[in-house]
Amino acid sequence: MMARKSQTVRAIVTALFMVATAGSSASGQFETRASVSTGAYVPNSAAMGDFNRDGKLDLAIVNYLPSGSVIILLGNGDGTFAVGASYPVAIQPLNLATSSFRHNGILDLVVGDTGSDNVYIMLGNGDGTFQAAVPYPTTGSPLAVSTGDFTGDGKVDIGTFSQLGCDCVEVLPGNGDGTFSPAIVTPVPYNVTGFAMVAADFDGDGKLDVAVPGGFGTTNQVDILLGNGDGSFRPNGYYPVSVDPLSVTTGRFNADNRVDLAVGNFLGNSVSVLIGTGNGGFRQAADYDTAGFTTWVAVGDLNGDGKEDLAVSNLGSPTNSFAGSVTVLSGNGDGTFGTGVVYPAGKGLNYVAIGDFNGDHKPDVVAVDTQGNAVFTLLNTGTVTFSPTTPITFPNQLVGTTSAILSATLTNNGASPLTISSVTYTGKPFHLQTTCKGSVPPGGYCTISATFSPQVIDISSGTITIRDSASSKPQVVELMGTGTVVKLMPAQLNFPPQKVGTRSATETIQLTNTGSSILNFPPQAIGIAGTDYYNFQQKNTCAASLAAGASCTISVIFRPSMTGSRTAFISVNDDGGGNPQSIPLSGTGD
């Protein structure tokens, strides 16, 4: 899981890039199906399993701010989730894992708490609820937790990687009844600070080994520790990887059936793939680019070709730290991977997992948005691809007016015709037109178009449901839009070239309350933000409130401090819907 180091890195990244423009991304075989808000809680990671034993995958979400908690999301079997029980757990947990600690078929949870030297055990009741968390002491603060039989007695143990007081791997032997014995401690070797951990049998001796990626200064590597079968480990070398390795997982990426590694590198904007030799060793890493700020890596056969692929969560990108995404790297079956395909999702993803969340026997992706306080589901559409892969999201629209048309394209990438039996939609403010009817030939496409006509100040959502022969379950495209009574004219300001150090002529924006009631502004409601905010200045005539039908004026000047393109935006906060509104600003310093 993300270490304390990575949280500092996040703050720096956010400060540097929070208003830059997002880069383009490729479309492909996943589409965002749904999102679930975690409210005021900031989620960090998830554990996946059938917690209520109804045959549908559920999620346990661990939240680390403003206080530690676990939220249970119960799967509906269609890619969406119902919010279940919530439990206070620990002080600042970052990671959790699931297993049946009592060997009774009921899944339990273990939570690692970085705010104390404890792991917490939550025993499951088998109906999607859990008993109160019970702490077990560790030597350091557990950043990562896993489960497995580390001691060879047939009982499930807990493995942790601990930092802050103990740069070590710890094993808490399970007693088989949901309780655990004191930790067995093995220091991490080779003079690096570990950030994550994964357990598997690297040398084929039937004993669990661990890999710990970490770094110190300019050194970044993954350490290999071979298990002794009693909960302790011995060092077995290390392998260089790219910068800031914060996550690690295992797979079998070629035909030799030996355990391989994939390491996610946060500042390296990449995944390092290390092919196992079968004796506990690994070949030197090969790096594959992601969208940026890689936070987690998951393994699965995403395209159904029998070869393992990688799904990677990205906190953001080097040009926009609020552009969360999932990068999918398709495996070639020989240990190498193709160029990543990027699927936008959320504001900043910290975790990704693979599972069949809608029961169509195709692996889907779920992602935890740590900057947007949400959990996203991206469904595998098989031979059908959508562009864009994200929901059809309308800009703020004035109440009582109709938006421009936005469209999604459905393409049949299969080898046989695609039969579409129906296209329906829900959501009162949305209106639909489509050419997706009857049969779509191989390589052919059709379009789904929608408009948004809000009647109230509010966020509205809807769905387009497509029933076709590509899947046993409907394909779904989300619709999203926000109604507002705040009219801003013009929609952006573009200043002509201006000599450095001089002031431009004043440009104005008229803000009008098109509603039937008073529009209210909080203190300091209007300001300038963005990368080059200091190159622009504003003053306005907007008081604390604005009567229905009334207008006020925002005046802006451009005063470039250096040559080249300068960008920023006016931010307006009010209670008129779509808050905050923004008006892009641009100019060039001569």
Side-chain angles (χ1 to χ4, degrees):
M1 207 61 264
M2 286 232 152
R4 299 276 69 77
K5 172 183 176 182
S6 70
Q7 292 182 16
T8 302
V9 170
R10 283 181 188 166
I12 295 171
V13 169
T14 299
L16 291 175
F17 300 117
M18 66 177 291
V19 295
T21 302
S24 61
S25 58
S27 61
Q29 67 174 39
F30 290 90
E31 54 105 353
T32 300
R33 167 63 180 94
S35 63
V36 179
S37 172
T38 57
Y41 288 96
V42 179
N44 196 71
S45 65
M48 180 175 60
D50 185 4
F51 300 131
N52 59 359
R53 299 186 291 179
D54 64 353
K56 303 167 186 176
L57 280 177
D58 310 311
L59 296 172
I61 308 299
V62 64
N63 308 293
Y64 68 101
L65 288 175
S67 60
S69 69
V70 170
I71 297 175
I72 305 301
L73 302 181
L74 299 175
N76 294 319
D78 60 357
T80 66
F81 294 87
V83 178
S86 178
Y87 303 89
V89 181
I91 300 172
Q92 196 172 57
L94 290 183
N95 207 342
L96 76 170
T98 184
S99 187
S100 181
F101 299 141
R102 296 163 290 176
H103 299 277
N104 59 358
I106 297 175
L107 289 176
D108 309 306
L109 296 172
V110 55
V111 181
D113 180 25
T114 61
S116 67
D117 295 344
N118 290 301
V119 295
Y120 286 80
I121 304 301
M122 300 172 62
L123 297 180
N125 296 318
D127 59 357
T129 66
F130 291 83
Q131 299 175 31
V134 177
Y136 286 83
T138 55
T139 305
S141 298
L143 290 179
V145 292
S146 63
T147 63
D149 184 6
F150 293 97
T151 56
D153 61 358
K155 300 172 184 176
V156 180
D157 309 315
I158 295 171
T160 80
F161 164 70
S162 298
Q163 203 189 67
L164 300 180
C166 176
D167 191 29
C168 58
V169 174
E170 304 190 58
V171 170
L172 286 75
N175 298 318
D177 58 358
T179 65
F180 294 84
S181 298
I184 301 166
V185 181
T186 303
V188 172
Y190 310 122
N191 298 316
V192 297
T193 299
F195 299 142
M197 184 186 78
V198 70
D201 183 4
F202 301 145
D203 58 359
D205 65 354
K207 303 170 185 176
L208 282 178
D209 313 309
V210 296
V212 178
F216 182 80
T218 59
T219 299
N220 297 276
Q221 64 194 43
V222 56
D223 294 352
I224 306 302
L225 291 83
L226 298 183
N228 296 317
D230 59 359
S232 66
F233 302 87
R234 63 188 186 278
N236 195 55
Y238 60 89
Y239 301 87
V241 294
S242 190
V243 183
D244 210 21
L246 293 185
S247 61
V248 59
T249 192
T250 61
R252 286 173 169 81
F253 304 137
N254 57 10
D256 63 9
N257 205 36
R258 297 166 180 165
V259 178
D260 309 312
L261 294 175
V263 178
N265 307 302
F266 185 72
L267 292 180
N269 303 323
S270 65
V271 173
S272 295
V273 173
L274 298 89
I275 301 301
T277 60
N279 61 356
F282 293 85
R283 301 177 196 168
Q284 294 301 309
D287 292 340
Y288 297 88
D289 292 338
T290 66
F293 305 128
T294 301
T295 51
W296 202 264
V297 185
V299 175
D301 180 8
L302 296 172
N303 56 10
D305 64 356
K307 304 167 185 174
E308 288 192 332
D309 311 308
L310 300 175
V312 181
S313 59
N314 305 297
L315 185 70
S317 75
T319 57
N320 189 352
S321 68
F322 284 138
S325 64
V326 173
T327 300
V328 172
L329 298 159
S330 295
N332 297 318
D334 59 359
T336 65
F337 291 82
T339 302
V341 178
V342 179
Y343 301 91
K347 296 180 179 180
L349 303 186
N350 196 58
Y351 181 87
V352 65
I354 296 171
D356 181 8
F357 297 106
N358 66 343
D360 65 353
H361 307 294
K362 296 183 179 72
D364 309 307
V365 170
V366 68
V368 174
D369 184 2
T370 196
Q371 295 201 46
N373 294 13
V375 179
F376 284 85
T377 309
L378 288 76
L379 289 188
N380 190 331
T381 61
T383 59
V384 172
T385 60
F386 291 90
S387 179
T389 58
T390 52
I392 297 178
T393 303
F394 293 87
N396 290 346
Q397 186 68 31
L398 286 175
V399 170
T401 66
T402 298
S403 71
I405 295 172
L406 294 183
S407 298
T409 300
L410 180 156
T411 302
N412 178 13
N413 289 329
S416 59
L418 174 74
T419 300
I420 298 177
S421 58
S422 68
V423 178
T424 58
Y425 75 99
T426 62
K428 186 176 180 180
F430 303 98
H431 302 278
L432 181 73
Q433 292 182 334
T434 182
T435 63
C436 296
K437 301 174 182 178
S439 181
V440 179
Y445 66 91
C446 59
T447 58
I448 300 168
S449 302
T451 58
F452 175 47
S453 303
Q455 300 304 310
V456 295
I457 298 173
D458 202 1
I459 298 174
S460 298
S461 62
T463 57
I464 300 170
T465 301
I466 306 107
R467 290 174 172 82
D468 56 50
S469 58
S471 174
S472 61
K473 297 297 179 70
Q475 316 273 18
V476 178
V477 177
E478 280 193 298
L479 298 166
M480 299 181 67
T482 301
T484 184
V485 297
V486 180
K487 182 179 181 180
L488 296 163
M489 290 294 292
Q492 62 182 20
L493 293 182
N494 300 310
F495 289 86
Q498 185 73 28
K499 186 176 180 180
V500 170
T502 65
R503 295 165 55 98
S504 72
T506 299
E507 302 266 0
T508 60
I509 299 164
Q510 186 178 57
L511 188 159
T512 303
N513 176 10
T514 66
S516 58
S517 59
I518 292 174
L519 179 69
N520 298 300
F521 300 95
Q524 298 179 330
I526 300 174
I528 297 179
T531 306
D532 305 309
Y533 69 92
Y534 49 86
N535 288 265
F536 300 87
Q537 297 174 0
Q538 71 84 25
K539 60 181 180 179
N540 65 82
T541 63
C542 304
S545 62
L546 189 64
S551 298
C552 59
T553 301
I554 304 170
S555 300
V556 185
I557 64 167
F558 175 45
R559 186 175 182 176
S561 61
M562 60 186 73
T563 60
S565 177
R566 307 290 111 194
T567 61
F569 61 89
I570 296 285
S571 178
V572 181
N573 289 276
D574 52 63
D575 61 0
N579 186 50
Q581 297 92 22
S582 64
I583 304 99
L585 308 174
S586 65
T588 301
D590 272 353

